[in-house]
Amino acid sequence: TIKRPPENPPPRPPPEARRKQV
Amino acid sequence: GPIVLQSYRLIADYEKNSKSELGVKAGDVVDVVEKNENGWWFCQLKNKRGWVPAAYLEPLDSPDESEEQEPNYAGDLHISTKAYSAIMEDELTVEEGETVEVIHKLLDGWWVVRKGSITGYFPAIYLQKSGQAPP
């Protein structure tokens, strides 16, 4: 079974590492 | 038939902050088991499993079809369930219980939201759909 996801917002990667789209 | 998991590559190191998360390094390739709308994706790396922020993942191959919804410029009314103060300059600060308009639901859990005349990113995890008009 899959546990529940964390209840806090997922962190955003540093801007220089960000990709264009999911 | 067998379930084919999608593979994604890590664009940056991610250090886990809780037991249910998966610590990964830039360049690691993970299989995505479940995509949660709040932007946490349940991933598998070899024999380890855990949640990873979707914003750290890029698809190995171009997806056959876009899973992303189109932006809704009219705005979809939501209420914030928790206050959030912007950390990055493209984010929005919203108090608990405020009504905002969701313009674009992005898969990484950071939605484009409009409050009055200001637009910015806001965590989907703190938003609840509202049927009511803004006051």
Side-chain angles (χ1 to χ4, degrees), chain A residues 1-15 17-19 21-22, chain B residues 11 34 36 38 40-41 51 53-58 88 90-91 110 123 125-126:
Chain A
T1 55
I2 293 173
K3 288 183 217 166
R4 287 163 59 86
E7 286 174 2
N8 48 310
R12 298 171 72 198
R18 240 171 256 175
R19 66 193 176 330
Q21 272 189 310
V22 171
Chain B
I11 60 165
E34 186 191 299
N36 195 292
N38 65 23
W40 286 103
W41 289 4
W51 298 95
Y56 280 71
L57 301 168
E58 65 178 3
M88 294 186 187
D90 58 359
E91 296 172 7
W110 287 85
I125 204 164
Y126 293 156

Side-chain angles (χ1 to χ4, degrees), chain B residues 53-75:
Chain B
Y56 280 71
L57 301 168
E58 65 178 3
L60 267 196
D61 308 302
S62 308
D64 294 337
E65 51 189 315
S66 175
E67 299 164 83
E68 205 111 82
Q69 294 179 28
E70 291 296 311
N72 171 15
Y73 298 106

Side-chain angles (χ1 to χ4, degrees), chain B residues 29-57:
Chain B
V29 173
V30 297
D31 289 325
V32 174
V33 179
E34 186 191 299
K35 295 177 179 178
N36 195 292
E37 198 187 37
N38 65 23
W40 286 103
W41 289 4
F42 198 76
C43 297
Q44 184 174 306
L45 176 65
K46 293 171 189 150
N47 57 347
K48 293 184 296 177
R49 286 176 159 211
W51 298 95
V52 175
Y56 280 71
L57 301 168

